[in-house]
Amino acid sequence: EPEVTQTPSHQVTQMGQEVILRCVPISNHLYFYWYRQILGQKVEFLVSFYNNEISEKSEIFDDQFSVERPDGSNFTLKIRSTKLEDSAMYFCASSVTGGLNYNEQFFGPGTRLTVL
Amino acid sequence: DAKTTQPPSMDCAEGRAANLPCNHSTISGNEYVYWYRQIHSQGPQYIIHGLKNNETNEMASLIITEDRKSSTLILPHATLRDTAVYYCIVRGRDDKIIFGKGTRLHILP
């Protein structure tokens, strides 16, 4: 069964450093998403991406964040200058359709980001 | 998106049916009811969705009341691997999923 994959599974970085989290969505999916979950808290939407541009982003997704689909298979989330409060589990998701009433999103296993 | 209300936690004996309730009294006519679950430290997993009619798949059944103001997710024969947080989500024409706190389901051996 096809699945969303994410690398690395755990990333440790120093405050102020740049990190890139990588995702490989399911191959025939066209819509891509990033969510995050701070330890013990709810899963929060960050950004959705379609046709090589951001379709929606949350208040969390400020200028320090960016997303890119550098090739036909990868989808990345970059945090330019990490802060302690960026420590969280980051989930990538993808779906075949978007902007419709029915939209099943498939989630990856997550990358645990620890900022020291 | 309409707000949903779920009990914070529930217990169910292994092998029995787990019935997880959800209230969504402000749901509008074009909004779907989705259920996802999150097993500890894993990504959320889609379970089932519905609009008006009851739905069943290999994982679960979804019962939606006639007025659509509430629904119940049924796991017919719960196993220890069904221990997870279950999220009831109501969505319209929107890409993003807004997760609440969900119901933490404990399956008891």
Side-chain angles (χ1 to χ4, degrees):
Chain A
E1 185 175 322
E3 58 184 18
V4 176
T5 59
Q6 291 184 242
T7 55
S9 57
H10 191 187
Q11 174 89 47
V12 181
T13 189
Q14 295 290 326
M15 189 170 56
Q17 295 295 305
E18 174 184 286
V19 294
I20 298 176
L21 309 183
R22 291 182 167 78
C23 168
V24 178
I26 295 173
S27 62
N28 64 332
H29 287 189
L30 301 176
Y31 293 78
F32 314 112
Y33 314 85
W34 284 100
Y35 293 80
R36 79 171 187 190
Q37 186 174 32
I38 294 171
L39 186 63
Q41 298 187 23
K42 295 185 286 188
V43 177
E44 302 172 288
F45 169 78
L46 293 178
V47 66
S48 58
F49 189 87
Y50 168 70
N51 200 26
N52 280 321
E53 59 183 34
I54 291 172
S55 47
E56 187 174 0
K57 60 183 180 179
S58 72
E59 291 179 353
I60 302 168
F61 195 90
D62 61 22
D63 292 344
Q64 292 300 311
F65 291 87
S66 62
V67 289
E68 191 179 28
R69 189 152 162 82
D71 53 42
S73 59
N74 289 284
F75 179 51
T76 62
L77 174 69
K78 182 193 291 187
I79 308 175
R80 289 191 185 81
S81 178
T82 51
K83 303 187 282 273
L84 294 177
E85 53 264 38
D86 293 327
S87 294
M89 189 75 123
Y90 288 80
F91 295 109
C92 173
S94 68
S95 62
V96 174
T97 59
L100 302 174
N101 291 107
Y102 165 46
N103 173 353
E104 177 186 341
Q105 293 183 19
F106 293 83
F107 285 76
T111 292
R112 181 168 298 284
L113 176 65
T114 301
V115 182
L116 303 176
Chain B
D1 289 345
K3 182 173 173 158
T4 61
T5 304
Q6 299 179 252
S9 67
M10 291 183 63
D11 292 339
C12 179
E14 190 177 15
R16 306 297 289 268
N19 296 275
L20 291 92
C22 178
N23 286 322
H24 32 80
S25 58
T26 58
I27 192 171
S28 62
N30 62 350
E31 290 180 319
Y32 279 73
V33 179
Y34 287 78
W35 283 83
Y36 279 78
R37 74 179 181 183
Q38 188 176 23
I39 296 169
H40 182 62
S41 296
Q42 297 182 23
Q45 178 189 21
Y46 166 82
I47 301 172
I48 199 167
H49 76 283
L51 182 63
K52 297 180 194 176
N53 301 320
N54 298 337
E55 302 288 344
T56 295
N57 63 19
E58 64 278 4
M59 288 182 70
S61 295
L62 174 60
I63 308 298
I64 302 175
T65 57
E66 196 168 338
D67 63 9
R68 303 209 325 124
K69 292 185 177 181
S70 65
S71 60
T72 301
L73 178 75
I74 301 172
L75 308 177
H77 304 287
T79 70
L80 294 176
R81 287 176 296 181
D82 292 321
T83 293
V85 179
Y86 287 77
Y87 301 100
C88 170
I89 296 156
V90 170
R91 291 169 64 203
R93 300 182 68 87
D94 198 358
D95 287 344
K96 65 181 181 288
I97 298 174
I98 305 295
F99 289 89
K101 294 182 180 178
T103 295
R104 186 170 297 276
L105 177 66
H106 301 275
I107 305 300
L108 307 175

